[in-house]
Each structure stands twice: as structure tokens, then as C-alpha cells.
Amino acid sequence: MTQQGVRWSADQVLSLAPDASSRKAGSKLGAAGPWSEAGSSGEGTVWGLCKGSGSKPYQTVVDIADASGPAYRCSCPSRKFPCKHALGLLLLWAGEDGAVPAGQPPQWAGEWLEGRRKRAAEKEAATAPSAPGSGDPEAARRRAERRAERITAGATELEQRLVDLLRGGLAGAEQVGYGLWEETAARMVDAQASGLAARVRELGAIPSSGPGWPVRLLEECALLHLLDRGWLRRERLPDGLAATVRARVGLPASADGPPLRDSWLVLAQHDLADARLTTRRIWLYGAASGRTALLLSYGAAGRAPELALPVGLALDAEVSAYPGAGQPRVALGEQFAPSAPAAIRPPGVTPAEAAARYGEALRDDPWLDSVPVTLDRVVPTPDGDSWQLADADGDTALPLTSTARSRPGLWRLVSLSGGAPLKVFGECGHRGFTPLTAWPEGAGEAVSLC
């Protein structure tokens, strides 16, 4: 099937929006009024001119068939990807038949597409595997040893700082302030242990996080101590756990698992941002393998990551796993057909089974914040000042995380349910459950809650 014959839903288009304001602005442009010369091709390209505040309309083009998700180009000054014009154009294309007729792209759109295809071919050629023996394995081994020595020195220093903190008492952490933690994190960065640095920065925010912070600080210090000791004694660990420790400390790794081809349903896509980086998490479910896998994509602060896949579409593609016991992360490989809407739904479990699944996962990765879980037949229910997902057929429930309670997606979830059971996909961990996607009972489409 060509991309021309595929119709997305409005929710699938809006799941690509970088933020709530873009989603709202793009929705307003999803009608034919501001558009002219709109068209689409069987190769997966959509284009159009959108009237703006200036004398010239904005030229907007989207390459839907790109293997890493839709790619966008718009002459507007926005730095968001996709911008509101690209979202509006996709909504117009996803709507009634005939609103975006088939045709050949105009010159300005064709030139952009040709340039993209040329750059993609050059990149593929540049990253092709080198001939055997062309590298210097001895030099690579020496670099790896030097980095391991620096991480070991950093982990040893961090152990001493944790000992000093506990000897002085946790109560003193509140008076120390964030500066000490930031200095310690900087030392870990110098030691090339980015994973340790990130966990140290998280420690600095705990003393000001409200009642009960000493308990939370002690828990996080214990996990950091465990990671330190794991690194210092990594030669004694099983291979899978040793790989997990290396990844948690911050050593880069390549996806070295055998390629697994499947029809991968895009379960959810959401961004986590801080002052340095935006991390996009895309969850996939393999229809044949039954495997749930995670794609990660990164963008510099203030910039959206490049990889974007609409929720509810399925990709006929290969993925390769990263090393580590129980790690769900994969790299996206060859895609064999354009992504298309699918009626696939992952099987669900009860809230009690979801909590047990997280407990089992901690055996392989004690630093795991959450696991991907699909809950079957749950109802969003208020619980005092909070919310929970209650088992419609039992007496168990999972509390929602504070992050989930602060998102507009909570009210979308409550509205979608209307008191009736739902199937909900999300992340389940020690802080609770974060719903990311929901399906109403019956044959309804996936609804993104991000």
C-alpha cells in the first residue's frame, strides 16, 4: 500500500505535537480555509501553502514516508518541529477525502525532498561498516581502559562523599544546599561517568521536595552506593547485570542484538526535558513477538528530537536490542513499508500483576524507575486528593504518579472512560503509574494521553 492510501486519525497527527500550545494552534489550521495548492503524492509527501500574517504564504511540506518518522520543512520562523502549519497540513490530509488531492509536488517541495534523499544516501554511505581490520583495535582498547580508570576514580570519590554525608547525618543535607551536589556531579562528568552525574543531580533536589525527604534521600543514596559498588566489582557480576551497570554508569553501548523483524505498533511517545537535553521515549509493541521495546531519541535543550512516530501506527521494521539484563531499549533498523494505522492492541494485565512485573524487573536492574505495562479493564477513580486506576473486576488499584496528575492527559483519560473500563498503556514503577495511551472498550482507536 502506498502512503497515499493511508489515512491517519486526528489524534495520531496531534500525538506528534511538541507541546500543548502547538497542538492547539495546529488544530485551528486543520481546515481548508487558510490552505491553497495543497497536494499529496503516492511516495508519502504532503505539501501546501498556508496563509499567514505576511504577504507571502508559508510553504509547508511533510515527508511522511521517512523511516525515522515524518520529516518537516516550513518557511515560517518557528523553531518547533513540527510547527503548527505542519500539524495543520497533516490534519487536513487526514480529514475528508479530496481536501488534499493527489498530484506531483511543486518545485520548492521537490527540491527539499531531493536534498533530503541525497543527504540520507550520503549518511548511509558514510556510516557503512568499514572493512575488517581497517580500525585500530589496540588503540580502542587503550581508550576504553583509560575511560574505565577515570570512572573508577570518580566512583571511589563518590563513595567517600556518600560516607561523609551519612556520618554527618542526613539532616545536614538541607543546610548544605544544591551547590555541593552540583560540584559532585561536575566531578562525575570529569570522570566521564554521565550516569553517576545524573543521579547525583537528582539527590540535590530531594531535600527541598517536601515532607518525608530524609527517607527518599536515604533510598536514593543507597541505590547510588549500590551502583558504585557494582561498577567497582563489575568483573564479579553476571554478564547481563554487568552490562546493565555499565549502561547505568554512563558508558556508551551499541545495539548488538540480532535484528528482529516484526509489525511494531507505536504504543506511546512522550518527551522528558531538562536544562540540557530533551529525551523522547517511544514505546513499541511487536505483534508477532509480543515484545515491548523502547526507542530513545535526543535533542539539544529547546529542540525537539528528530525521531517522531504517531501513536497507533504500525511499522514493518527491524529492531536490534542494546546490551543489559532485562533492558527494553532497541535501535530502529530497516523499515520495509510505510507506517500505517493498525488494529493491533497489546494484551493487558491487572494492577496487581503490573506491580508484580515491576518487582520482578528489579532483580535484573535495581535502578529501574518503571516498566512498560498495559492494564486491562481499569477505571480512573479519585482517591482523596489523588487518582488511581482501579481494577474493574477486582479490589486492587495503582496510584497515578504526581507527573500524571499534573498533565491534561488525566482529564482526557477520565473523559474517555466516563466510568467505563479502559485498556491503558503506561509506565509502572515505585512512584506509581503514568498512563500514556488508552483504548476504549470495543474497537476504538488509540488515544494519546501525553
Side-chain angles (χ1 to χ4, degrees):
M1 175 186 289
T2 65
Q3 196 71 34
Q4 175 65 27
V6 174
R7 291 289 171 184
W8 297 358
S9 68
D11 195 70
Q12 286 165 343
V13 171
L14 293 176
S15 70
L16 298 170
D19 51 42
S21 60
S22 297
R23 186 180 296 111
K24 182 178 180 180
S27 297
K28 294 180 179 178
L29 294 175
W35 293 96
S36 61
E37 300 182 28
S40 61
S41 73
E43 287 73 36
T45 308
V46 184
W47 61 86
L49 302 177
C50 186
K51 183 180 179 181
S53 56
S55 58
K56 292 184 177 180
Y58 296 124
Q59 297 176 336
T60 307
V61 57
V62 183
D63 183 6
I64 304 170
D66 190 273
S68 61
Y72 319 93
R73 188 264 182 190
C74 186
S75 59
C76 76
S78 174
R79 296 184 63 187
K80 296 179 180 180
F81 294 93
C83 67
K84 63 181 181 181
H85 306 101
L87 289 171
L89 178 61
L90 287 176
L91 287 171
L92 185 68
W93 166 78
E96 298 180 4
D97 289 338
V100 180
Q104 292 298 315
Q107 181 178 358
W108 55 269
E111 290 175 351
W112 176 76
L113 286 167
E114 183 179 352
R116 273 187 54 78
R117 307 279 160 76
K118 182 179 179 181
R119 288 190 296 272
E122 292 173 349
K123 182 178 180 180
E124 184 176 352
T127 56
S130 303
S134 61
D136 187 345
E138 181 60 25
R141 184 188 64 80
R142 290 195 298 268
R143 287 194 299 271
E145 287 181 350
R146 288 194 296 269
R147 179 165 187 177
E149 290 172 358
R150 285 193 288 269
I151 294 176
T152 297
T156 303
E157 178 182 346
L158 181 55
E159 278 289 279
Q160 185 58 54
R161 296 206 176 193
L162 290 175
V163 169
D164 293 343
L165 172 66
L166 295 177
R167 281 178 177 170
L170 293 180
E174 196 169 21
Q175 283 73 44
V176 168
Y178 191 76
L180 175 63
W181 302 107
E182 186 58 39
E183 177 196 347
T184 305
R187 297 282 294 168
M188 297 304 103
V189 171
D190 292 341
Q192 294 185 289
S194 59
L196 293 179
R199 298 192 79 91
V200 168
R201 289 193 182 97
E202 291 175 359
L203 289 182
I206 293 176
S208 60
S209 62
W213 68 262
V215 174
R216 293 192 293 275
L217 181 59
L218 183 60
E219 290 173 347
E220 292 302 322
C221 284
L223 285 172
L224 188 53
H225 167 71
L226 183 64
L227 183 56
D228 267 346
R229 302 307 295 175
W231 170 261
L232 295 174
R233 301 182 181 184
R234 60 194 180 280
E235 292 84 1
R236 308 180 194 178
L237 300 178
D239 291 344
L241 184 56
T244 298
V245 167
R246 287 193 291 270
R248 291 295 183 186
V249 164
L251 276 179
S254 300
D256 57 3
L260 174 62
R261 182 175 177 178
D262 206 335
S263 178
W264 296 99
L265 173 68
V266 182
L267 286 174
Q269 173 180 290
H270 68 110
D271 293 350
L272 302 174
D274 57 29
R276 299 172 178 81
L277 194 69
T278 298
T279 302
R280 175 163 293 164
R281 296 168 64 85
I282 301 177
W283 287 106
L284 306 175
Y285 172 75
S289 65
R291 177 175 178 177
T292 303
L294 175 65
L295 295 174
L296 294 180
S297 182
Y298 302 96
R303 304 278 301 183
E306 288 188 7
L307 183 63
L309 299 172
V311 173
L313 297 191
L315 297 79
D316 180 7
E318 290 180 341
V319 301
S320 298
Y322 281 81
Q327 296 299 308
R329 187 185 175 189
V330 298
L332 183 62
E334 184 177 357
Q335 186 172 340
F336 300 95
S339 53
I344 305 168
R345 290 191 183 189
V349 299
T350 66
E353 291 169 332
R357 184 173 295 182
Y358 175 60
E360 293 168 0
L362 290 176
R363 292 182 302 186
D364 292 329
D365 184 355
W367 308 277
L368 191 64
D369 287 329
S370 61
V371 293
V373 172
T374 301
L375 299 176
D376 216 1
R377 290 186 52 77
V378 290
V379 181
T381 308
D383 180 26
D385 295 333
S386 185
W387 283 82
Q388 60 185 3
L389 290 177
D391 188 346
D393 305 311
D395 57 359
T396 60
L398 285 175
L400 297 190
T401 60
S402 58
T403 300
R405 297 195 302 269
S406 64
R407 287 177 176 172
L410 169 60
W411 305 113
R412 201 177 309 158
L413 177 65
V414 172
S415 175
L416 185 66
S417 166
L422 298 168
K423 182 187 286 284
V424 182
F425 170 79
E427 297 173 354
C428 179
H430 63 281
R431 296 183 180 92
F433 187 85
T434 301
L436 301 175
T437 306
W439 296 263
E441 290 220 315
E445 295 178 338
V447 176
S448 174
L449 305 174
C450 302

